[in-house]
Amino acid sequence: MSRRSIIVLAAAVVMLYFSIILFMLSPLHGAKSAYYGNSYMNHFGFRQVPSVNWCKELKWRSPPSPNVVALVSYPGSGNTWLRYLLQQATGIVTGSIYMDYGLRVHGFPAENVTDGSVLVVKTHEAPPLEPDKFKSAILLIRNPRDAILADFNRLHKGHIGTAPKSAFKRKSQEHKKSEWANYVSAQLPVWESLHRLWLTRFAGPVHIVFYELLVQDTRATLADILEFVNVTVTEESMNCAIANKEGIYRRKKKYDDFDPFTSDMYVALDDVRNRVLRIVSDYRKRHNITDRSKGNF
């Protein structure tokens, strides 16, 4: 191989490595114009995410808490947004069982940290086999219709992007149904199982939060969560968190004239939704929990 060829190959490898790094550090992994218009392009042409205005400088929990709290949800249920709200109100970092490099460099420095040095630990998994991994859990529940749709969007366009309409019509290679139809069919039992397991198998206390209520009454719902994790914040801190509640990690609705769900899908969605609501009701009765909000999804 000639010297020139070696130089060209080396340059290509460097460019590929650089491109991978840029992709990994993008917190939205593919989100497009709605959040990355011209105002967020630097002079090199690379995407730049709007900066997060934190109410206070983020810090680690000190001393670390002996009781690690799980923040549990099905993907697409608003876990990242709730972490953002908690960090805004408390100034304490939140952790995750995962390593999302984009989130790590854009507001969530405790990715892949799962001990008591963080306020809560994000997970989309079933209760761990280790009985002492989590002492308690916040279970964030979102309507399966919206959660499954949000996660489908995430898979195609990142944390806040929206999948194109064509993605919902693309035919599966193995089946006659569309990839979207197969996805909904596969995810419905996953959505149901996750909530069932945390409400019936987890030994510690579970604080149930409905995403829809978090949106509707953010202040009261957030205050209840902070009481559950035994953290007190000032009125000023809460006011700041609410004033900045939108942040950059909520997906904006793109299509008002497009519903990818069929009538059969809606029947199946209602079935699993109602079964989980019954499990929630049974859990509250068993543990003598009063639902002050009277809310669900």
Side-chain angles (χ1 to χ4, degrees):
M1 182 179 293
S2 67
R3 182 176 180 180
R4 181 174 179 178
S5 298
I6 294 175
I7 293 174
V8 171
L9 179 60
V13 171
V14 170
M15 288 299 294
L16 177 61
Y17 178 78
F18 185 58
S19 298
I20 293 173
I21 293 298
L22 286 177
F23 176 81
M24 293 295 286
L25 294 183
S26 169
L28 309 179
H29 291 188
K32 288 190 175 180
S33 58
Y35 286 82
Y36 290 104
N38 292 334
S39 61
Y40 297 122
M41 301 290 286
N42 65 17
H43 61 282
F44 290 110
F46 297 133
R47 292 173 178 171
Q48 291 180 318
V49 67
S51 60
V52 178
N53 296 316
W54 292 107
C55 293
K56 57 186 73 177
E57 184 177 355
L58 297 180
K59 61 183 179 181
W60 302 79
R61 202 166 191 175
S62 182
S65 172
N67 300 319
V68 182
V69 182
L71 177 54
V72 186
S73 71
Y74 173 87
S77 297
N79 198 306
T80 301
W81 182 50
L82 180 50
R83 290 175 65 190
Y84 165 82
L85 291 173
L86 290 169
Q87 291 188 172
Q88 283 287 31
T90 67
I92 302 173
V93 296
T94 60
S96 174
I97 69 169
Y98 313 104
M99 172 57 82
D100 187 318
Y101 289 96
L103 292 181
R104 183 173 182 176
V105 298
H106 289 284
F108 299 92
E111 283 292 287
N112 203 222
V113 177
T114 62
D115 58 28
S117 66
V118 297
L119 186 62
V120 296
V121 177
K122 169 184 176 178
T123 179
H124 298 313
E125 310 296 328
L129 297 177
E130 309 96 309
D132 295 327
K133 177 64 177 177
F134 298 117
K135 294 295 186 180
S136 59
I138 299 164
L139 181 60
L140 179 59
I141 307 176
R142 187 180 189 182
N143 187 308
R145 175 193 183 280
D146 297 327
I148 291 174
L149 178 58
D151 197 47
F152 187 78
N153 284 322
R154 179 190 63 82
L155 291 172
H156 283 78
K157 289 295 179 180
H159 282 290
I160 59 174
T162 304
K165 292 181 180 180
S166 59
F168 296 92
K169 301 175 182 178
R170 189 175 300 127
K171 293 295 183 182
S172 170
Q173 294 181 352
E174 295 82 11
H175 306 281
K176 295 182 179 179
K177 294 182 179 180
S178 66
E179 292 181 2
W180 163 245
N182 288 330
Y183 184 77
V184 173
S185 178
Q187 291 304 306
L188 279 172
V190 176
W191 184 91
E192 179 179 359
S193 176
L194 177 76
H195 301 99
R196 179 187 299 276
L197 289 173
W198 279 95
L199 291 170
T200 60
R201 301 286 181 86
F202 182 62
V206 177
H207 181 69
I208 300 166
V209 178
F210 288 110
Y211 172 84
E212 291 73 13
L213 189 60
L214 180 63
V215 173
Q216 177 186 336
D217 192 352
T218 306
R219 180 184 292 270
T221 307
L222 186 59
D224 285 343
I225 295 171
L226 292 173
E227 181 181 348
F228 180 75
V229 298
N230 196 29
V231 172
T232 302
V233 300
T234 64
E235 188 72 14
E236 180 183 5
S237 294
M238 181 62 81
N239 288 340
C240 184
I242 299 304
N244 294 278
K245 70 177 184 178
E246 288 304 314
I248 62 173
Y249 287 104
R250 289 188 66 196
R251 180 178 285 105
K252 307 299 181 182
K253 186 175 181 180
K254 183 177 180 180
Y255 303 119
D256 292 322
D257 60 341
F258 176 64
D259 185 355
F261 294 93
T262 66
S263 56
D264 288 342
M265 289 179 184
Y266 274 115
V267 171
L269 286 163
D270 284 342
D271 285 344
V272 299
R273 171 183 175 274
N274 290 331
R275 284 197 293 269
V276 168
L277 281 177
R278 286 194 291 270
I279 296 171
V280 168
S281 179
D282 290 343
Y283 181 87
R284 285 172 167 163
K285 288 178 182 178
R286 288 199 314 272
H287 296 275
N288 195 28
I289 297 173
T290 301
D291 180 14
R292 291 182 289 175
S293 67
K294 302 299 180 185
N296 54 44
F297 49 82

